[in-house]
PDB file of all heavy atoms in Angstrom:
ATOM      1  N   PRO A   5      39.555  44.195  16.764  1.00 98.00           N
ATOM      2  CA  PRO A   5      39.509  43.076  15.832  1.00 98.00           C
ATOM      3  C   PRO A   5      38.495  43.336  14.722  1.00 98.00           C
ATOM      4  O   PRO A   5      37.399  43.841  14.966  1.00 98.00           O
ATOM      5  CB  PRO A   5      39.052  41.908  16.720  1.00 98.00           C
ATOM      6  CG  PRO A   5      38.191  42.551  17.761  1.00 98.00           C
ATOM      7  CD  PRO A   5      38.728  43.957  17.971  1.00 98.00           C
ATOM      8  N   VAL A   6      38.874  43.005  13.500  1.00 98.00           N
ATOM      9  CA  VAL A   6      37.976  43.144  12.361  1.00 98.00           C
ATOM     10  C   VAL A   6      37.928  41.797  11.649  1.00 98.00           C
ATOM     11  O   VAL A   6      38.960  41.263  11.231  1.00 98.00           O
ATOM     12  CB  VAL A   6      38.435  44.242  11.385  1.00 98.00           C
ATOM     13  CG1 VAL A   6      37.472  44.349  10.202  1.00 98.00           C
ATOM     14  CG2 VAL A   6      38.536  45.579  12.102  1.00 98.00           C
ATOM     15  N   ALA A   7      36.736  41.228  11.521  1.00 98.00           N
ATOM     16  CA  ALA A   7      36.570  39.913  10.908  1.00 98.00           C
ATOM     17  C   ALA A   7      36.346  40.040   9.406  1.00 98.00           C
ATOM     18  O   ALA A   7      35.655  40.952   8.947  1.00 98.00           O
ATOM     19  CB  ALA A   7      35.385  39.191  11.542  1.00 98.00           C
ATOM     20  N   GLU A   8      36.951  39.116   8.669  1.00 97.00           N
ATOM     21  CA  GLU A   8      36.778  39.134   7.221  1.00 97.00           C
ATOM     22  C   GLU A   8      36.292  37.789   6.685  1.00 97.00           C
ATOM     23  O   GLU A   8      36.540  36.729   7.258  1.00 97.00           O
ATOM     24  CB  GLU A   8      38.068  39.534   6.512  1.00 97.00           C
ATOM     25  CG  GLU A   8      39.170  38.524   6.554  1.00 97.00           C
ATOM     26  CD  GLU A   8      40.367  38.918   5.697  1.00 97.00           C
ATOM     27  OE1 GLU A   8      40.245  39.802   4.836  1.00 97.00           O
ATOM     28  OE2 GLU A   8      41.436  38.322   5.917  1.00 97.00           O
ATOM     29  N   ILE A   9      35.609  37.889   5.542  1.00 96.00           N
ATOM     30  CA  ILE A   9      35.095  36.732   4.809  1.00 96.00           C
ATOM     31  C   ILE A   9      35.876  36.634   3.504  1.00 96.00           C
ATOM     32  O   ILE A   9      36.176  37.649   2.868  1.00 96.00           O
ATOM     33  CB  ILE A   9      33.595  36.927   4.496  1.00 96.00           C
ATOM     34  CG1 ILE A   9      32.803  37.152   5.785  1.00 96.00           C
ATOM     35  CG2 ILE A   9      33.046  35.727   3.726  1.00 96.00           C
ATOM     36  CD1 ILE A   9      32.825  36.015   6.760  1.00 96.00           C
ATOM     37  N   PHE A  10      36.177  35.409   3.068  1.00 95.00           N
ATOM     38  CA  PHE A  10      36.901  35.224   1.818  1.00 95.00           C
ATOM     39  C   PHE A  10      35.931  34.946   0.675  1.00 95.00           C
ATOM     40  O   PHE A  10      35.166  33.983   0.716  1.00 95.00           O
ATOM     41  CB  PHE A  10      37.927  34.100   1.949  1.00 95.00           C
ATOM     42  CG  PHE A  10      39.147  34.520   2.704  1.00 95.00           C
ATOM     43  CD1 PHE A  10      39.170  34.466   4.088  1.00 95.00           C
ATOM     44  CD2 PHE A  10      40.265  35.007   2.038  1.00 95.00           C
ATOM     45  CE1 PHE A  10      40.281  34.881   4.796  1.00 95.00           C
ATOM     46  CE2 PHE A  10      41.381  35.425   2.731  1.00 95.00           C
ATOM     47  CZ  PHE A  10      41.388  35.363   4.115  1.00 95.00           C
ATOM     48  N   ALA A  11      36.010  35.805  -0.329  1.00 95.00           N
ATOM     49  CA  ALA A  11      35.114  35.680  -1.472  1.00 95.00           C
ATOM     50  C   ALA A  11      35.513  34.531  -2.383  1.00 95.00           C
ATOM     51  O   ALA A  11      34.647  33.855  -2.948  1.00 95.00           O
ATOM     52  CB  ALA A  11      35.091  36.986  -2.268  1.00 95.00           C
ATOM     53  N   ASP A  12      36.828  34.308  -2.536  1.00 92.00           N
ATOM     54  CA  ASP A  12      37.323  33.381  -3.549  1.00 92.00           C
ATOM     55  C   ASP A  12      37.935  32.114  -2.970  1.00 92.00           C
ATOM     56  O   ASP A  12      38.693  31.424  -3.642  1.00 92.00           O
ATOM     57  CB  ASP A  12      38.355  34.088  -4.440  1.00 92.00           C
ATOM     58  CG  ASP A  12      39.483  34.740  -3.642  1.00 92.00           C
ATOM     59  OD1 ASP A  12      39.499  34.585  -2.407  1.00 92.00           O
ATOM     60  OD2 ASP A  12      40.327  35.415  -4.262  1.00 92.00           O
ATOM     61  N   ARG A  13      37.609  31.810  -1.717  1.00 92.00           N
ATOM     62  CA  ARG A  13      38.104  30.583  -1.095  1.00 92.00           C
ATOM     63  C   ARG A  13      36.937  29.756  -0.583  1.00 92.00           C
ATOM     64  O   ARG A  13      35.963  30.291  -0.052  1.00 92.00           O
ATOM     65  CB  ARG A  13      39.053  30.912   0.060  1.00 92.00           C
ATOM     66  CG  ARG A  13      40.377  31.517  -0.353  1.00 92.00           C
ATOM     67  CD  ARG A  13      41.255  30.526  -1.106  1.00 92.00           C
ATOM     68  NE  ARG A  13      41.449  29.280  -0.374  1.00 92.00           N
ATOM     69  CZ  ARG A  13      42.334  29.090   0.590  1.00 92.00           C
ATOM     70  NH1 ARG A  13      43.123  30.096   0.938  1.00 92.00           N
ATOM     71  NH2 ARG A  13      42.438  27.931   1.198  1.00 92.00           N
ATOM     72  N   ALA A  14      37.067  28.433  -0.723  1.00 93.00           N
ATOM     73  CA  ALA A  14      36.052  27.520  -0.199  1.00 93.00           C
ATOM     74  C   ALA A  14      36.260  27.332   1.305  1.00 93.00           C
ATOM     75  O   ALA A  14      37.392  27.353   1.795  1.00 93.00           O
ATOM     76  CB  ALA A  14      36.139  26.179  -0.915  1.00 93.00           C
ATOM     77  N   TYR A  15      35.160  27.140   2.018  1.00 95.00           N
ATOM     78  CA  TYR A  15      35.183  26.950   3.462  1.00 95.00           C
ATOM     79  C   TYR A  15      34.889  25.494   3.822  1.00 95.00           C
ATOM     80  O   TYR A  15      34.065  24.835   3.180  1.00 95.00           O
ATOM     81  CB  TYR A  15      34.124  27.826   4.133  1.00 95.00           C
ATOM     82  CG  TYR A  15      34.514  29.272   4.314  1.00 95.00           C
ATOM     83  CD1 TYR A  15      34.392  30.185   3.274  1.00 95.00           C
ATOM     84  CD2 TYR A  15      34.996  29.736   5.536  1.00 95.00           C
ATOM     85  CE1 TYR A  15      34.744  31.517   3.437  1.00 95.00           C
ATOM     86  CE2 TYR A  15      35.344  31.070   5.714  1.00 95.00           C
ATOM     87  CZ  TYR A  15      35.215  31.953   4.664  1.00 95.00           C
ATOM     88  OH  TYR A  15      35.567  33.271   4.834  1.00 95.00           O
ATOM     89  N   LEU A  16      35.538  25.027   4.882  1.00 94.00           N
ATOM     90  CA  LEU A  16      35.182  23.749   5.488  1.00 94.00           C
ATOM     91  C   LEU A  16      33.996  23.976   6.424  1.00 94.00           C
ATOM     92  O   LEU A  16      33.743  25.102   6.860  1.00 94.00           O
ATOM     93  CB  LEU A  16      36.374  23.187   6.254  1.00 94.00           C
ATOM     94  CG  LEU A  16      37.613  22.868   5.411  1.00 94.00           C
ATOM     95  CD1 LEU A  16      38.773  22.441   6.318  1.00 94.00           C
ATOM     96  CD2 LEU A  16      37.314  21.788   4.377  1.00 94.00           C
ATOM     97  N   PRO A  17      33.258  22.910   6.771  1.00 93.00           N
ATOM     98  CA  PRO A  17      32.063  23.091   7.617  1.00 93.00           C
ATOM     99  C   PRO A  17      32.348  23.699   8.984  1.00 93.00           C
ATOM    100  O   PRO A  17      31.445  24.266   9.606  1.00 93.00           O
ATOM    101  CB  PRO A  17      31.520  21.661   7.753  1.00 93.00           C
ATOM    102  CG  PRO A  17      31.999  20.955   6.527  1.00 93.00           C
ATOM    103  CD  PRO A  17      33.354  21.532   6.244  1.00 93.00           C
ATOM    104  N   ASP A  18      33.618  23.599   9.475  1.00 90.00           N
ATOM    105  CA  ASP A  18      33.941  24.164  10.786  1.00 90.00           C
ATOM    106  C   ASP A  18      34.382  25.616  10.715  1.00 90.00           C
ATOM    107  O   ASP A  18      34.790  26.201  11.723  1.00 90.00           O
ATOM    108  CB  ASP A  18      35.016  23.324  11.479  1.00 90.00           C
ATOM    109  CG  ASP A  18      36.346  23.312  10.729  1.00 90.00           C
ATOM    110  OD1 ASP A  18      36.442  23.963   9.667  1.00 90.00           O
ATOM    111  OD2 ASP A  18      37.288  22.648  11.202  1.00 90.00           O
ATOM    112  N   GLY A  19      34.310  26.229   9.513  1.00 90.00           N
ATOM    113  CA  GLY A  19      34.653  27.637   9.368  1.00 90.00           C
ATOM    114  C   GLY A  19      36.080  27.892   8.941  1.00 90.00           C
ATOM    115  O   GLY A  19      36.448  29.047   8.688  1.00 90.00           O
ATOM    116  N   ARG A  20      36.903  26.847   8.856  1.00 90.00           N
ATOM    117  CA  ARG A  20      38.264  27.016   8.352  1.00 90.00           C
ATOM    118  C   ARG A  20      38.250  27.093   6.831  1.00 90.00           C
ATOM    119  O   ARG A  20      37.331  26.594   6.172  1.00 90.00           O
ATOM    120  CB  ARG A  20      39.164  25.852   8.794  1.00 90.00           C
ATOM    121  CG  ARG A  20      39.452  25.808  10.276  1.00 90.00           C
ATOM    122  CD  ARG A  20      40.324  24.609  10.611  1.00 90.00           C
ATOM    123  NE  ARG A  20      39.639  23.356  10.306  1.00 90.00           N
ATOM    124  CZ  ARG A  20      40.221  22.297   9.762  1.00 90.00           C
ATOM    125  NH1 ARG A  20      41.508  22.336   9.441  1.00 90.00           N
ATOM    126  NH2 ARG A  20      39.520  21.193   9.537  1.00 90.00           N
ATOM    127  N   LEU A  21      39.302  27.697   6.266  1.00 91.00           N
ATOM    128  CA  LEU A  21      39.447  27.705   4.817  1.00 91.00           C
ATOM    129  C   LEU A  21      39.920  26.334   4.342  1.00 91.00           C
ATOM    130  O   LEU A  21      40.752  25.695   4.997  1.00 91.00           O
ATOM    131  CB  LEU A  21      40.455  28.773   4.387  1.00 91.00           C
ATOM    132  CG  LEU A  21      40.099  30.218   4.723  1.00 91.00           C
ATOM    133  CD1 LEU A  21      41.223  31.146   4.269  1.00 91.00           C
ATOM    134  CD2 LEU A  21      38.778  30.625   4.080  1.00 91.00           C
ATOM    135  N   MET A  22      39.402  25.893   3.213  1.00 93.00           N
ATOM    136  CA  MET A  22      39.850  24.635   2.653  1.00 93.00           C
ATOM    137  C   MET A  22      41.320  24.756   2.227  1.00 93.00           C
ATOM    138  O   MET A  22      41.692  25.748   1.603  1.00 93.00           O
ATOM    139  CB  MET A  22      39.003  24.250   1.426  1.00 93.00           C
ATOM    140  CG  MET A  22      39.368  22.900   0.831  1.00 93.00           C
ATOM    141  SD  MET A  22      38.492  22.578  -0.721  1.00 93.00           S
ATOM    142  CE  MET A  22      36.817  22.433  -0.104  1.00 93.00           C
ATOM    143  N   PRO A  23      42.180  23.797   2.578  1.00 90.00           N
ATOM    144  CA  PRO A  23      43.584  23.871   2.166  1.00 90.00           C
ATOM    145  C   PRO A  23      43.724  24.022   0.653  1.00 90.00           C
ATOM    146  O   PRO A  23      42.971  23.425  -0.122  1.00 90.00           O
ATOM    147  CB  PRO A  23      44.146  22.527   2.639  1.00 90.00           C
ATOM    148  CG  PRO A  23      43.274  22.143   3.796  1.00 90.00           C
ATOM    149  CD  PRO A  23      41.904  22.634   3.425  1.00 90.00           C
ATOM    150  N   ARG A  24      44.677  24.828   0.247  1.00 87.00           N
ATOM    151  CA  ARG A  24      44.854  25.159  -1.164  1.00 87.00           C
ATOM    152  C   ARG A  24      45.186  23.959  -2.041  1.00 87.00           C
ATOM    153  O   ARG A  24      45.001  24.017  -3.252  1.00 87.00           O
ATOM    154  CB  ARG A  24      45.942  26.227  -1.322  1.00 87.00           C
ATOM    155  CG  ARG A  24      45.488  27.632  -0.998  1.00 87.00           C
ATOM    156  CD  ARG A  24      46.602  28.640  -1.188  1.00 87.00           C
ATOM    157  NE  ARG A  24      46.128  30.013  -1.069  1.00 87.00           N
ATOM    158  CZ  ARG A  24      45.679  30.751  -2.073  1.00 87.00           C
ATOM    159  NH1 ARG A  24      45.649  30.244  -3.291  1.00 87.00           N
ATOM    160  NH2 ARG A  24      45.277  31.993  -1.874  1.00 87.00           N
ATOM    161  N   ASP A  25      45.712  22.887  -1.444  1.00 87.00           N
ATOM    162  CA  ASP A  25      46.074  21.726  -2.264  1.00 87.00           C
ATOM    163  C   ASP A  25      44.895  20.810  -2.558  1.00 87.00           C
ATOM    164  O   ASP A  25      45.040  19.793  -3.237  1.00 87.00           O
ATOM    165  CB  ASP A  25      47.199  20.925  -1.602  1.00 87.00           C
ATOM    166  CG  ASP A  25      46.828  20.410  -0.211  1.00 87.00           C
ATOM    167  OD1 ASP A  25      45.714  20.696   0.260  1.00 87.00           O
ATOM    168  OD2 ASP A  25      47.676  19.716   0.393  1.00 87.00           O
ATOM    169  N   ARG A  26      43.703  21.175  -2.101  1.00 91.00           N
ATOM    170  CA  ARG A  26      42.515  20.366  -2.384  1.00 91.00           C
ATOM    171  C   ARG A  26      41.738  20.974  -3.550  1.00 91.00           C
ATOM    172  O   ARG A  26      41.647  22.202  -3.674  1.00 91.00           O
ATOM    173  CB  ARG A  26      41.617  20.280  -1.142  1.00 91.00           C
ATOM    174  CG  ARG A  26      42.219  19.421  -0.039  1.00 91.00           C
ATOM    175  CD  ARG A  26      41.348  19.369   1.194  1.00 91.00           C
ATOM    176  NE  ARG A  26      39.969  18.977   0.910  1.00 91.00           N
ATOM    177  CZ  ARG A  26      39.031  18.837   1.851  1.00 91.00           C
ATOM    178  NH1 ARG A  26      39.358  19.071   3.117  1.00 91.00           N
ATOM    179  NH2 ARG A  26      37.809  18.494   1.531  1.00 91.00           N
ATOM    180  N   PRO A  27      41.182  20.130  -4.432  1.00 89.00           N
ATOM    181  CA  PRO A  27      40.407  20.646  -5.573  1.00 89.00           C
ATOM    182  C   PRO A  27      39.243  21.508  -5.102  1.00 89.00           C
ATOM    183  O   PRO A  27      38.545  21.170  -4.146  1.00 89.00           O
ATOM    184  CB  PRO A  27      39.902  19.365  -6.254  1.00 89.00           C
ATOM    185  CG  PRO A  27      40.846  18.293  -5.826  1.00 89.00           C
ATOM    186  CD  PRO A  27      41.270  18.656  -4.426  1.00 89.00           C
ATOM    187  N   GLY A  28      39.041  22.636  -5.773  1.00 89.00           N
ATOM    188  CA  GLY A  28      37.935  23.523  -5.439  1.00 89.00           C
ATOM    189  C   GLY A  28      38.223  24.486  -4.313  1.00 89.00           C
ATOM    190  O   GLY A  28      37.326  25.242  -3.904  1.00 89.00           O
ATOM    191  N   ALA A  29      39.457  24.495  -3.819  1.00 91.00           N
ATOM    192  CA  ALA A  29      39.780  25.375  -2.691  1.00 91.00           C
ATOM    193  C   ALA A  29      39.744  26.845  -3.080  1.00 91.00           C
ATOM    194  O   ALA A  29      39.408  27.707  -2.271  1.00 91.00           O
ATOM    195  CB  ALA A  29      41.148  25.024  -2.128  1.00 91.00           C
ATOM    196  N   VAL A  30      40.111  27.137  -4.334  1.00 91.00           N
ATOM    197  CA  VAL A  30      40.105  28.511  -4.830  1.00 91.00           C
ATOM    198  C   VAL A  30      39.023  28.642  -5.894  1.00 91.00           C
ATOM    199  O   VAL A  30      38.965  27.842  -6.829  1.00 91.00           O
ATOM    200  CB  VAL A  30      41.483  28.894  -5.413  1.00 91.00           C
ATOM    201  CG1 VAL A  30      41.464  30.344  -5.901  1.00 91.00           C
ATOM    202  CG2 VAL A  30      42.574  28.714  -4.364  1.00 91.00           C
ATOM    203  N   LEU A  31      38.167  29.636  -5.740  1.00 92.00           N
ATOM    204  CA  LEU A  31      37.059  29.858  -6.676  1.00 92.00           C
ATOM    205  C   LEU A  31      37.493  30.858  -7.745  1.00 92.00           C
ATOM    206  O   LEU A  31      38.225  31.808  -7.458  1.00 92.00           O
ATOM    207  CB  LEU A  31      35.844  30.383  -5.925  1.00 92.00           C
ATOM    208  CG  LEU A  31      35.403  29.560  -4.711  1.00 92.00           C
ATOM    209  CD1 LEU A  31      34.185  30.186  -4.054  1.00 92.00           C
ATOM    210  CD2 LEU A  31      35.127  28.112  -5.088  1.00 92.00           C
ATOM    211  N   HIS A  32      37.012  30.649  -8.967  1.00 92.00           N
ATOM    212  CA  HIS A  32      37.467  31.478 -10.084  1.00 92.00           C
ATOM    213  C   HIS A  32      36.341  32.156 -10.862  1.00 92.00           C
ATOM    214  O   HIS A  32      36.612  33.097 -11.601  1.00 92.00           O
ATOM    215  CB  HIS A  32      38.295  30.622 -11.052  1.00 92.00           C
ATOM    216  CG  HIS A  32      39.526  30.035 -10.438  1.00 92.00           C
ATOM    217  ND1 HIS A  32      40.640  30.784 -10.137  1.00 92.00           N
ATOM    218  CD2 HIS A  32      39.800  28.761 -10.040  1.00 92.00           C
ATOM    219  CE1 HIS A  32      41.571  30.006  -9.595  1.00 92.00           C
ATOM    220  NE2 HIS A  32      41.084  28.777  -9.518  1.00 92.00           N
ATOM    221  N   ASP A  33      35.107  31.715 -10.718  1.00 94.00           N
ATOM    222  CA  ASP A  33      34.008  32.276 -11.505  1.00 94.00           C
ATOM    223  C   ASP A  33      33.536  33.595 -10.883  1.00 94.00           C
ATOM    224  O   ASP A  33      32.998  33.601  -9.757  1.00 94.00           O
ATOM    225  CB  ASP A  33      32.840  31.287 -11.568  1.00 94.00           C
ATOM    226  CG  ASP A  33      31.711  31.795 -12.426  1.00 94.00           C
ATOM    227  OD1 ASP A  33      30.896  32.600 -11.923  1.00 94.00           O
ATOM    228  OD2 ASP A  33      31.632  31.414 -13.608  1.00 94.00           O
ATOM    229  N   PRO A  34      33.708  34.742 -11.567  1.00 96.00           N
ATOM    230  CA  PRO A  34      33.355  36.030 -10.967  1.00 96.00           C
ATOM    231  C   PRO A  34      31.898  36.134 -10.539  1.00 96.00           C
ATOM    232  O   PRO A  34      31.602  36.682  -9.459  1.00 96.00           O
ATOM    233  CB  PRO A  34      33.683  37.037 -12.075  1.00 96.00           C
ATOM    234  CG  PRO A  34      34.742  36.360 -12.883  1.00 96.00           C
ATOM    235  CD  PRO A  34      34.360  34.905 -12.882  1.00 96.00           C
ATOM    236  N   ASP A  35      30.981  35.627 -11.351  1.00 95.00           N
ATOM    237  CA  ASP A  35      29.562  35.732 -11.004  1.00 95.00           C
ATOM    238  C   ASP A  35      29.218  34.867  -9.792  1.00 95.00           C
ATOM    239  O   ASP A  35      28.423  35.272  -8.941  1.00 95.00           O
ATOM    240  CB  ASP A  35      28.695  35.341 -12.205  1.00 95.00           C
ATOM    241  CG  ASP A  35      28.809  36.339 -13.353  1.00 95.00           C
ATOM    242  OD1 ASP A  35      29.063  37.527 -13.079  1.00 95.00           O
ATOM    243  OD2 ASP A  35      28.656  35.925 -14.513  1.00 95.00           O
ATOM    244  N   GLN A  36      29.812  33.685  -9.708  1.00 94.00           N
ATOM    245  CA  GLN A  36      29.594  32.827  -8.550  1.00 94.00           C
ATOM    246  C   GLN A  36      30.134  33.486  -7.285  1.00 94.00           C
ATOM    247  O   GLN A  36      29.477  33.481  -6.234  1.00 94.00           O
ATOM    248  CB  GLN A  36      30.277  31.472  -8.751  1.00 94.00           C
ATOM    249  CG  GLN A  36      30.173  30.550  -7.539  1.00 94.00           C
ATOM    250  CD  GLN A  36      31.156  29.384  -7.586  1.00 94.00           C
ATOM    251  OE1 GLN A  36      32.062  29.369  -8.405  1.00 94.00           O
ATOM    252  NE2 GLN A  36      30.968  28.421  -6.700  1.00 94.00           N
ATOM    253  N   ILE A  37      31.314  34.057  -7.390  1.00 95.00           N
ATOM    254  CA  ILE A  37      31.934  34.732  -6.249  1.00 95.00           C
ATOM    255  C   ILE A  37      31.059  35.896  -5.782  1.00 95.00           C
ATOM    256  O   ILE A  37      30.806  36.068  -4.583  1.00 95.00           O
ATOM    257  CB  ILE A  37      33.341  35.213  -6.630  1.00 95.00           C
ATOM    258  CG1 ILE A  37      34.286  34.010  -6.795  1.00 95.00           C
ATOM    259  CG2 ILE A  37      33.891  36.185  -5.586  1.00 95.00           C
ATOM    260  CD1 ILE A  37      35.621  34.356  -7.406  1.00 95.00           C
ATOM    261  N   ALA A  38      30.580  36.696  -6.726  1.00 97.00           N
ATOM    262  CA  ALA A  38      29.749  37.846  -6.371  1.00 97.00           C
ATOM    263  C   ALA A  38      28.442  37.406  -5.729  1.00 97.00           C
ATOM    264  O   ALA A  38      27.999  38.001  -4.726  1.00 97.00           O
ATOM    265  CB  ALA A  38      29.477  38.691  -7.613  1.00 97.00           C
ATOM    266  N   ALA A  39      27.831  36.368  -6.267  1.00 96.00           N
ATOM    267  CA  ALA A  39      26.549  35.900  -5.735  1.00 96.00           C
ATOM    268  C   ALA A  39      26.682  35.378  -4.311  1.00 96.00           C
ATOM    269  O   ALA A  39      25.820  35.642  -3.455  1.00 96.00           O
ATOM    270  CB  ALA A  39      25.978  34.815  -6.648  1.00 96.00           C
ATOM    271  N   ARG A  40      27.770  34.654  -4.029  1.00 95.00           N
ATOM    272  CA  ARG A  40      27.927  34.132  -2.666  1.00 95.00           C
ATOM    273  C   ARG A  40      28.211  35.257  -1.674  1.00 95.00           C
ATOM    274  O   ARG A  40      27.815  35.182  -0.500  1.00 95.00           O
ATOM    275  CB  ARG A  40      28.990  33.030  -2.624  1.00 95.00           C
ATOM    276  CG  ARG A  40      30.417  33.480  -2.708  1.00 95.00           C
ATOM    277  CD  ARG A  40      31.339  32.322  -3.084  1.00 95.00           C
ATOM    278  NE  ARG A  40      31.389  31.276  -2.100  1.00 95.00           N
ATOM    279  CZ  ARG A  40      32.374  31.118  -1.199  1.00 95.00           C
ATOM    280  NH1 ARG A  40      33.378  31.980  -1.193  1.00 95.00           N
ATOM    281  NH2 ARG A  40      32.357  30.133  -0.334  1.00 95.00           N
ATOM    282  N   MET A  41      28.857  36.344  -2.138  1.00 96.00           N
ATOM    283  CA  MET A  41      29.098  37.466  -1.243  1.00 96.00           C
ATOM    284  C   MET A  41      27.821  38.280  -0.999  1.00 96.00           C
ATOM    285  O   MET A  41      27.598  38.776   0.103  1.00 96.00           O
ATOM    286  CB  MET A  41      30.208  38.357  -1.800  1.00 96.00           C
ATOM    287  CG  MET A  41      31.592  37.728  -1.690  1.00 96.00           C
ATOM    288  SD  MET A  41      32.087  37.320   0.022  1.00 96.00           S
ATOM    289  CE  MET A  41      31.634  35.568   0.123  1.00 96.00           C
ATOM    290  N   LEU A  42      26.984  38.408  -2.000  1.00 97.00           N
ATOM    291  CA  LEU A  42      25.701  39.080  -1.778  1.00 97.00           C
ATOM    292  C   LEU A  42      24.860  38.273  -0.799  1.00 97.00           C
ATOM    293  O   LEU A  42      24.220  38.840   0.097  1.00 97.00           O
ATOM    294  CB  LEU A  42      24.958  39.268  -3.098  1.00 97.00           C
ATOM    295  CG  LEU A  42      23.609  39.983  -2.969  1.00 97.00           C
ATOM    296  CD1 LEU A  42      23.795  41.411  -2.459  1.00 97.00           C
ATOM    297  CD2 LEU A  42      22.874  39.998  -4.312  1.00 97.00           C
ATOM    298  N   ARG A  43      24.874  36.951  -0.934  1.00 96.00           N
ATOM    299  CA  ARG A  43      24.147  36.104   0.015  1.00 96.00           C
ATOM    300  C   ARG A  43      24.670  36.321   1.428  1.00 96.00           C
ATOM    301  O   ARG A  43      23.893  36.425   2.378  1.00 96.00           O
ATOM    302  CB  ARG A  43      24.288  34.627  -0.378  1.00 96.00           C
ATOM    303  CG  ARG A  43      23.603  33.680   0.616  1.00 96.00           C
ATOM    304  CD  ARG A  43      23.985  32.232   0.401  1.00 96.00           C
ATOM    305  NE  ARG A  43      23.351  31.377   1.394  1.00 96.00           N
ATOM    306  CZ  ARG A  43      23.645  30.094   1.582  1.00 96.00           C
ATOM    307  NH1 ARG A  43      24.555  29.509   0.823  1.00 96.00           N
ATOM    308  NH2 ARG A  43      23.037  29.387   2.514  1.00 96.00           N
ATOM    309  N   PHE A  44      25.982  36.412   1.578  1.00 96.00           N
ATOM    310  CA  PHE A  44      26.540  36.635   2.905  1.00 96.00           C
ATOM    311  C   PHE A  44      26.067  37.964   3.487  1.00 96.00           C
ATOM    312  O   PHE A  44      25.650  38.037   4.648  1.00 96.00           O
ATOM    313  CB  PHE A  44      28.073  36.598   2.868  1.00 96.00           C
ATOM    314  CG  PHE A  44      28.684  37.154   4.109  1.00 96.00           C
ATOM    315  CD1 PHE A  44      28.620  36.446   5.299  1.00 96.00           C
ATOM    316  CD2 PHE A  44      29.264  38.414   4.114  1.00 96.00           C
ATOM    317  CE1 PHE A  44      29.139  36.981   6.470  1.00 96.00           C
ATOM    318  CE2 PHE A  44      29.787  38.948   5.272  1.00 96.00           C
ATOM    319  CZ  PHE A  44      29.727  38.223   6.457  1.00 96.00           C
ATOM    320  N   VAL A  45      26.146  39.035   2.683  1.00 96.00           N
ATOM    321  CA  VAL A  45      25.760  40.359   3.188  1.00 96.00           C
ATOM    322  C   VAL A  45      24.286  40.375   3.577  1.00 96.00           C
ATOM    323  O   VAL A  45      23.902  40.974   4.587  1.00 96.00           O
ATOM    324  CB  VAL A  45      26.057  41.429   2.117  1.00 96.00           C
ATOM    325  CG1 VAL A  45      25.428  42.760   2.499  1.00 96.00           C
ATOM    326  CG2 VAL A  45      27.565  41.597   1.953  1.00 96.00           C
ATOM    327  N   GLU A  46      23.462  39.696   2.813  1.00 96.00           N
ATOM    328  CA  GLU A  46      22.012  39.734   3.058  1.00 96.00           C
ATOM    329  C   GLU A  46      21.568  38.775   4.154  1.00 96.00           C
ATOM    330  O   GLU A  46      20.566  39.029   4.837  1.00 96.00           O
ATOM    331  CB  GLU A  46      21.267  39.427   1.764  1.00 96.00           C
ATOM    332  CG  GLU A  46      21.414  40.514   0.705  1.00 96.00           C
ATOM    333  CD  GLU A  46      20.622  40.228  -0.559  1.00 96.00           C
ATOM    334  OE1 GLU A  46      20.292  39.041  -0.814  1.00 96.00           O
ATOM    335  OE2 GLU A  46      20.316  41.188  -1.285  1.00 96.00           O
ATOM    336  N   THR A  47      22.277  37.650   4.344  1.00 96.00           N
ATOM    337  CA  THR A  47      21.807  36.624   5.279  1.00 96.00           C
ATOM    338  C   THR A  47      22.803  36.280   6.386  1.00 96.00           C
ATOM    339  O   THR A  47      22.421  35.616   7.360  1.00 96.00           O
ATOM    340  CB  THR A  47      21.483  35.316   4.522  1.00 96.00           C
ATOM    341  OG1 THR A  47      22.703  34.741   4.036  1.00 96.00           O
ATOM    342  CG2 THR A  47      20.543  35.580   3.354  1.00 96.00           C
TER     343      THR A  47
END
């Protein structure tokens, strides 16, 4: 098994991905996406 993190999708507090029909479910800002992934790798 290999676990993956989604860079461009919003997460619900229980670890599920936010459904695509909800506002903000898909992230579009490249710098925001990159920053949240660096935070994940570091913390």
Side-chain angles (χ1 to χ4, degrees):
V6 180
E8 70 173 344
I9 303 298
F10 283 85
D12 54 4
R13 291 292 306 278
Y15 280 82
L16 297 175
D18 63 0
R20 292 179 297 140
L21 298 178
M22 183 187 293
R24 282 181 172 270
D25 59 358
R26 289 178 53 178
V30 181
L31 308 180
H32 299 287
D33 183 278
D35 293 331
Q36 176 196 12
I37 290 170
R40 75 197 296 260
M41 287 301 96
L42 181 63
R43 177 192 178 190
F44 166 72
V45 169
E46 292 182 338
T47 69

